[in-house]
Amino acid sequence: MDDKLSIRVNVADRFYPLRIDRAEEERIRKAAKMINDKVLQYKQHYSDKDHQDFLGMAALQFVNKLLELEEKRDVSPIIEKAMELDQYLSDVLERE
């Protein structure tokens, strides 16, 4: 059974047809709403810009937040410290 769904999503006054997994529909619609809300927010503050500027500013803000969250989830510094500690302990035990 094909668990795909065809939807139309409005992003900044343009409709985009998408074929997505049913499980993704809520997240896709929420993402579109967040983009539209951010574009509206910029539109209200900067009347001298065009739609493309608002979309670009919204994209920049969302991707910046994504990168910030990815950095917080990066465990490689912890793994490196654990490996250094393991090596240190191994060296100490070898000397005894």
Side-chain angles (χ1 to χ4, degrees):
M1 180 176 168
D2 187 15
D3 205 24
K4 296 286 186 180
L5 180 67
S6 293
I7 64 172
R8 284 177 29 115
V9 178
N10 178 349
V11 176
D13 298 329
R14 284 196 181 178
F15 286 89
Y16 297 93
L18 301 174
R19 188 154 171 80
I20 60 170
D21 291 330
R22 289 185 184 277
E24 294 180 322
E25 182 183 11
E26 184 178 347
R27 188 175 59 242
I28 296 285
R29 292 194 186 277
K30 184 177 179 180
K33 182 180 181 340
M34 289 174 69
I35 293 168
N36 290 329
D37 290 347
K38 188 56 66 180
V39 166
L40 180 61
Q41 183 181 43
Y42 284 127
K43 194 183 287 188
Q44 291 170 344
H45 283 84
Y46 305 101
S47 59
D48 61 330
K49 304 288 184 190
D50 68 9
H51 241 45
Q52 187 67 35
D53 293 324
F54 302 140
L55 283 168
M57 291 174 5
L60 182 61
Q61 184 172 359
F62 287 127
V63 171
N64 184 51
K65 187 66 172 174
L66 173 67
L67 293 172
E68 180 183 310
L69 291 171
E70 285 178 352
E71 287 174 5
K72 287 181 181 178
R73 295 182 80 194
D74 183 12
V75 294
S76 59
I78 297 169
I79 292 171
E80 287 174 23
K81 288 294 182 188
M83 290 173 64
E84 288 174 16
L85 181 57
D86 180 55
Q87 184 60 49
Y88 173 77
L89 292 173
S90 294
D91 293 345
V92 168
L93 291 174
E94 285 178 10
R95 283 186 247 150
E96 291 183 3

